[in-house]
Every structure is written in C-alpha cells, then in structure tokens.
Amino acid sequence: MKTRGIVILLCLFLFSSCIVKSIQPFYIKEAIKYNPILKGDWTDHKKGKWKIVSFKEEWEKETDPNTKLSKEDRNAYERYKNAYYIQYTKKESEAAFIAMPFIVNEHFFIDLTPFEYDSNDLNKLVAQHLLKTHSTAHVEINDDDTIKLKWLSEKAVGSLIKNKKLRLKHESTGIDEDLVLTATSEELHAFLKKFMSSDFEDKWDNDDIYSLTRSNAKP
Amino acid sequence: MQNLNFKVLMKHNNYHRPLIFNSVLWLLSFVILLFIFSKGKTPITADYIYTTSFIIVIAIPVSINFYILIPKLLKREKYVSYLFLFLVVLFTASTLKRTFFKDILDNIFPNYFFVSYLSNFNIYLTYTIFLLATTLFKLAEDWFYFNTHQNKLLKLKNQHIQTQLASLRSQINPHFLFNSLNVIYAMALEKKDTITSAILELSDVLRYVIYDSDTERVKLKDELNLIKNYIAFQKYRGHSENSVSLKINIENENYQIYPMLLLPLLENSYKYGFSGSNTSEEILIELKQSGSKFNFRIHNLKLNPNQNLDSKYSGVGLENLKSNLSLVYPKSHSFKIHETKTSFTVTIALNNE
C-alpha cells in the first residue's frame, strides 16, 4: 500500500506538472461514447504500463449479480458504466484512474480522474490537501494499432488566457500558481470543440503526449 | 391668437432625439452586458468582441420593436397583436442567435474562444429580459417627452389665456376713455367751470383702470370706488348721482375680485337707461358679498329703443365680460341677462372657493 500511495503522489505530480486540471469533468452526458478499441494492455514510450478495461465489464466481473446494490453503488455504476478502468504502472508502482470516453467534433477524448484515492500510507495532512481533479486527453488512434494520448496542456490554455483570447472560469492556486479550471462541464466541452477546430501553434506540448503500443504487439 | 393651433406648434417643437436616445441606450447596454459577460472581472479582448457582436445582433429585434411594433401596435392600443408579434420576434431572434451566432463569430474570429458566455436557455432568457428592458426604456423616453410636451402645451395655453385677457382689457380701456373724452369734450365746448374737477375725477378713474387694475385680483372696495367715481363722473354728463340706486351689502371689503368686471355693465346701463340728460329714471345696482360668494345685479329701463344691445360698442363690452368670466371664473360663476321690451337686467354671481 505504501508503494501505491507513492505512485499516486508521483502520478499526481507527473500529470499535474503541465496538464490542465479541472474541478468539473470535461465531458457532457450527450457526448459520452464508449469505444472498445482502447481496451487492452499498452506500453507507453516512457516505459509505463497501461491496463485498460471496461468499467462495466470489471464491475460485472467483481459483483455478484444477486447482490443488492446500494443507492450510491447504483449511481456510481450508472455514471461510469461507459468508462474505462485504467491501471497505470511505472517502475512497479501502480495507480488507478477512471477514464470517461467522449466525442468532441468527431475527435475521441478521455476524461481522467484518480480512482480510489488511498491516503493511508500518506502523510495525513498532505493527503487532506490533495484533490481529485479531472484532466482530459485527445486520443489519436493510428492505423498501426498504436494510440497517442495528448493531454490538454497548461501551456496552451494558459497562453490563451494570458493573451485575453479565452474567457473560461479558472483559478491559479498554490505557490506555483497552478491553473485549475472551475468552469462548468458545458463550458469545458464547448472550449474543447473550439480548441479542436482552431489552428494555432503549440497546441499540444510534447511533454504531455504519450505514445502507447499494445504490450503483446509483435515488433 | 384664438385660432392658435397647438398641435402644429408642438409639431415644430418635437424634442425627440433619436441619436441621443440610441447612443445612451446602446452605450448603457454595452457597459452592462460587458460587465455580465466578463463575469465581474476585468474585461478581456474576447469579452469586448463578444459584447459588441451581441449588441449588433440584438439591435435588430430591438429596432423592430422600437420602430414597428411599438408605434404601429402598442401606441394604437392593439395590445394582443403587439404581444403576439413581440413574442414572435423574440422567439425568432433568440433561435437565430442560438443557431448561427457562435458559428459566425468563430469564423470571423478563429483565434478567440467564445465559450463561457450564453448557453441555450440563457440566450432566450437574456433576449427576453433585454427586449423587455429596452421596451420599458423606450416607453420611459416616450413618457418623458410626452410629459415635457404636455407641460409645454400647458404653458402655451396659459400664455394664450394671458394674452387673451390682456387683449380683452385693452379693448375695455379705450372704450371707456373714448366715452369719457366725449364728455370732457362736451363740457369744454360748453366752457363749464366744473371741467377741471371732471378731469381730476376722470384721472382717478383712469389711474385705477390703467394701473391698479393690472393685476389678477383686486379688493372689492377698490372696484366699488371705481363704480362710485364713475357714477360721480357721470354727473358731468348731466346724470344726477341720485338717478343711481346703489345698494351695498358687503361682509368683507377686501374680498378679491377680478378687476373691471362691473364697469362695462355700468357703462351699458348709462348708455341705454337714460333717454336724455336730467332725467329721473333710475339705474338699480345691488352688490352683495357673503363668505366666498359675490352677487351683482344691475337693472335699467330701455329708454332708447333705437339702440339695441348688439350694437358695436355695447356688444363688445358684454362679450368681453363673458369671455373674462369664463377665463377667470371657470365653472364658478353665472352670468344672466334678463331682457324685456322695457327693461334690461344683468346678474352676475361669483364663487371664490
């Protein structure tokens, strides 16, 4: 468990260094679209391992059909039944995420948020300062059965805000003045629509791009 | 002046200033909308672009409302039709805005992000509030100018009345003066010794007529003095002071009365009530004042049948009197003429309440 806690912190640090975080999800209900192509075991170019499974299938596997679900469990199932359950492992340490697939102008996106945040092995005071935020990544599916996850970077969004081209509710928080979006999911989704149709330089930051190859793929 | 056409006059004084009205309206709208769209924070370039574009687009339904619906329907009291077409315009404009506005804006300004402004429902709500607010603004503007117009009209009417009254008075004074000068002229021809006294008494009468009576109201005692002086002056015309029976019953001699109301009647009686000089015929005059009420009655015999009341001068005097009464005592006076073959009686009743 200690290792798992450290990985969560590591992931939070890695993902929070440049990517845009949001209090609200980036998707709207109407845009959710499950795509089974992401399922499977993947390895990224930074030697991280990704195990992506269907949340629904995983739920059904681990839940006895005769078990009576609580209201909270039913709500959670209804909310995430089209999502993925992702286990991310790097250097033998693991972290779990819920990833919701959704469509923006025919582009495939996932909204990620940490799942089952276990703070037992963390400094309790530190744990109390952490917040499960959302991030989003554009999923680029290539013909050679590889995928690219391009995270929405703070650099691109911060630049739009700084240049007074974007009005989107946000806050700058912490000593590093990290950008946290506080806009509604509708506004975030509308922003992504415009973002995808716009053509400007430095749209994606290379630091926030993950190239994934199937783990069982033959070279 | 009596034929003054106020509508024509006011038409030339139309105070509507569309340029000022629209400048104020749209500037105010811009400031308010910019504040709303920037969510109370310092406006950014995207806010300015969105607000300006929003103003341009919403100006269309607002202008339709201002320059077609309100004047053609609302002001003609076609309320149902107005409401129906107002809703049609509102719905159509909101739907067009919802459907095309963002895409057009994105095409014109591809590098700006207009994502955090109005959602679908809020578009309809904002349009409804904006159109209602601008309608009220327009009606307030109309009311303001209507009020100004009414005040101007009232002032003009008042001015018109004052001019009319001044005109009527100016007709009385020369009339009286002309008669009096005739008397002095006759005395001068006869070289009478009393001519100096006559001139002095006439000057007293004229002082009152020209100077003292040039106010809205005078004291009843002053008007009474005028009558007495006038009667005294008439002796030079050969009419004994005893030929006039003057009955006075006054509670308050400071009672306020419109000046020169009674003199024309007295003149009239002298003119028609005597067949010649040194006659014993009487003119009966009764003055009664009690509280707010004042009554005046004058009676004379018709001893000069060749002259009638519609003759040039007497007609002017009585008509002036009628006009004065209707202007200065509207709905608080009565003026009655009782005429027989042999006598002529005029009764005036005033109420100062």
Side-chain angles (χ1 to χ4, degrees):
Chain A
M1 290 300 285
K2 191 176 179 180
T3 311
R4 188 178 176 188
I6 292 166
V7 170
I8 288 175
L9 270 179
L10 184 67
C11 290
L12 286 170
F13 173 74
L14 284 173
F15 285 133
S16 66
S17 59
C18 303
I19 63 173
V20 173
K21 295 169 283 296
S22 168
I23 301 296
Q24 299 294 333
F26 284 85
Y27 59 87
I28 54 172
K29 223 174 184 180
E30 299 73 34
I32 294 173
K33 192 176 179 185
Y34 179 74
N35 188 344
I37 202 165
L38 277 189
K39 282 201 310 179
D41 294 333
W42 304 83
T43 304
D44 64 42
H45 67 291
K46 293 173 184 174
K47 296 184 179 174
K49 294 192 181 305
W50 300 70
K51 185 181 181 185
I52 303 175
V53 296
S54 160
F55 181 91
K56 188 181 177 184
E57 289 171 11
E58 198 69 10
W59 179 285
E60 287 168 354
K61 201 189 294 177
E62 292 188 2
T63 310
D64 184 352
N66 301 320
T67 307
K68 194 177 180 184
L69 297 173
S70 66
K71 192 181 174 185
E72 288 76 20
D73 286 343
R74 272 205 313 274
N75 287 343
Y77 174 76
E78 284 302 320
R79 190 172 175 187
Y80 296 115
K81 65 182 179 187
N82 291 316
Y84 304 104
Y85 177 78
I86 298 178
Q87 276 184 299
Y88 175 71
T89 310
K90 189 164 184 183
K91 295 178 182 173
E92 298 181 354
S93 57
E94 291 181 2
F97 294 86
I98 292 282
M100 184 65 80
F102 63 100
I103 298 295
V104 176
N105 295 347
E106 299 176 354
H107 297 284
F108 188 24
F109 271 79
I110 52 171
D111 174 279
L112 279 98
T113 187
F115 182 61
E116 286 185 331
Y117 175 50
D118 186 358
S119 61
N120 288 341
D121 295 322
L122 293 174
N123 181 307
K124 280 190 179 177
L125 196 56
V126 172
Q128 284 176 19
H129 284 77
L130 299 177
L131 186 68
K132 290 179 179 176
T133 57
H134 292 259
S135 68
T136 191
H138 176 223
V139 183
E140 201 175 280
I141 300 167
N142 301 316
D143 294 337
D144 58 355
D145 202 24
T146 60
I147 57 173
K148 264 187 187 174
L149 298 179
K150 297 176 178 176
W151 259 268
L152 187 64
S153 74
E154 191 174 315
K155 193 176 172 184
V157 178
S159 168
L160 289 173
I161 291 173
K162 193 180 171 186
N163 291 326
K164 300 181 177 181
K165 292 181 175 180
L166 169 65
R167 163 72 64 198
L168 196 62
K169 279 177 82 177
H170 66 277
E171 296 292 340
S172 295
T173 181
I175 296 170
D176 297 330
E177 295 204 333
D178 289 332
L179 179 70
V180 180
L181 301 182
T182 54
T184 62
S185 294
E186 286 74 18
E187 289 170 342
L188 293 169
H189 192 256
F191 164 70
L192 287 178
K193 272 187 175 178
K194 173 78 181 189
F195 186 81
M196 292 310 291
S197 60
S198 299
D199 185 22
F200 55 90
E201 289 178 1
D202 302 327
K203 200 171 184 177
W204 307 105
D205 191 337
N206 283 333
D207 291 343
D208 301 318
I209 296 176
Y210 285 71
S211 298
L212 274 62
T213 315
R214 287 199 185 274
S215 297
N216 55 358
K218 290 176 184 175
Chain B
M1 281 299 284
Q2 285 181 347
N3 294 323
L4 182 69
N5 190 333
F6 286 106
K7 283 184 180 175
V8 172
L9 189 67
M10 295 314 294
K11 203 173 178 180
H12 292 300
N13 289 295
N14 187 359
Y15 287 94
H16 273 272
R17 297 283 182 273
L19 188 65
I20 294 173
F21 169 74
N22 280 294
S23 302
V24 171
L25 171 69
W26 295 112
L27 196 67
L28 202 64
S29 303
F30 183 83
V31 172
I32 293 169
L33 288 171
L34 185 66
F35 180 77
I36 293 169
F37 293 147
S38 58
K39 297 174 176 28
K41 298 194 173 179
T42 307
I44 60 172
T45 314
D47 296 333
Y48 285 109
I49 294 171
Y50 188 87
T51 307
T52 307
S53 310
F54 186 89
I55 291 275
I56 291 168
V57 170
I58 206 168
I60 297 167
V62 169
S63 299
I64 292 172
N65 185 38
F66 278 5
Y67 301 110
I68 298 174
L69 300 187
I70 290 177
K72 303 271 183 197
L73 299 171
L74 189 63
K75 286 187 179 175
R76 293 178 186 177
E77 298 178 4
K78 295 174 181 174
Y79 299 120
V80 177
S81 305
Y82 174 76
L83 188 64
F84 174 73
L85 285 174
F86 179 86
L87 291 173
V88 168
V89 169
L90 171 64
F91 180 76
T92 309
S94 310
T95 307
L96 287 172
K97 197 270 177 197
R98 184 174 70 94
T99 313
F100 301 113
F101 182 70
K102 196 171 171 303
D103 290 339
I104 294 170
L105 214 54
D106 283 340
N107 280 326
I108 299 172
F109 303 99
N111 294 327
Y112 287 87
F113 290 69
F114 309 103
V115 295
S116 203
Y117 297 108
L118 291 177
S119 62
N120 291 344
F121 172 73
N122 283 340
I123 289 171
Y124 289 99
L125 187 66
T126 307
Y127 263 59
T128 305
I129 291 170
F130 196 90
L131 255 73
L132 284 175
T134 50
T135 303
L136 291 176
F137 193 74
K138 176 72 179 162
L139 292 179
E141 187 242 5
D142 284 351
W143 174 85
F144 174 78
Y145 286 118
F146 176 76
N147 203 33
T148 311
H149 181 277
Q150 287 297 99
N151 285 339
K152 184 84 181 169
L153 199 62
L154 279 175
K155 281 179 189 169
L156 279 172
K157 278 184 177 172
N158 189 37
Q159 198 177 5
H160 176 64
I161 289 169
Q162 293 302 325
T163 311
Q164 207 175 359
L165 286 173
S167 171
L168 292 172
R169 278 188 198 166
S170 69
Q171 286 176 355
I172 290 170
N173 297 344
H175 187 202
F176 171 76
L177 187 61
F178 178 73
N179 286 344
S180 302
L181 286 174
N182 274 343
V183 172
I184 302 284
Y185 175 72
M187 289 173 77
L189 283 179
E190 292 170 17
K191 294 181 179 173
K192 287 193 174 179
D193 296 336
T194 52
I195 191 167
T196 52
S197 304
I199 290 172
L200 204 60
E201 285 173 11
L202 177 62
S203 72
D204 284 343
V205 172
L206 288 179
R207 184 181 298 111
Y208 178 80
V209 169
I210 294 168
Y211 297 114
D212 300 345
S213 68
D214 194 23
T215 57
E216 285 192 11
R217 292 287 188 276
V218 291
K219 291 173 183 173
L220 184 55
K221 66 178 179 187
D222 295 333
E223 195 72 359
L224 197 56
N225 279 337
L226 172 69
I227 290 170
K228 284 176 180 172
N229 285 336
Y230 183 86
I231 291 169
F233 179 77
Q234 290 301 321
K235 71 185 176 214
Y236 303 112
R237 294 179 68 184
H239 302 306
S240 166
E241 286 184 68
N242 295 332
S243 61
V244 177
S245 167
L246 186 60
K247 292 182 183 175
I248 302 169
N249 183 8
I250 293 173
E251 276 183 5
N252 177 16
E253 60 179 9
N254 292 323
Y255 179 88
Q256 297 291 300
I257 189 170
Y258 185 77
M260 302 288 290
L261 266 183
L262 311 176
L263 191 64
L265 294 172
L266 201 56
E267 279 187 281
N268 202 58
S269 291
Y270 269 99
K271 191 164 189 176
Y272 305 109
F274 294 110
S275 56
S277 60
N278 297 316
T279 54
S280 59
E281 296 88 3
E282 265 195 345
I283 295 173
L284 305 175
I285 302 172
E286 289 175 17
L287 281 106
K288 190 179 175 187
Q289 181 270 322
S290 176
S292 63
K293 291 181 179 171
F294 172 78
N295 291 288
F296 176 81
R297 181 175 175 272
I298 187 163
H299 170 86
N300 63 271
L301 296 174
K302 286 168 73 175
L303 298 174
N304 197 345
N306 294 328
Q307 287 181 295
N308 59 63
L309 292 176
D310 291 327
S311 69
K312 191 177 176 184
Y313 299 113
S314 61
V316 168
L318 284 175
E319 283 308 312
N320 283 351
L321 188 57
K322 276 185 189 177
S323 300
N324 276 359
L325 284 169
S326 60
L327 287 171
V328 295
Y329 290 101
K331 297 178 182 176
S332 59
H333 79 277
S334 75
F335 179 79
K336 289 176 186 170
I337 297 173
H338 181 68
E339 187 178 5
T340 65
K341 281 185 180 178
T342 56
S343 69
F344 188 78
T345 307
V346 176
T347 310
I348 293 175
L350 305 176
N351 193 343
N352 247 359
E353 278 181 348

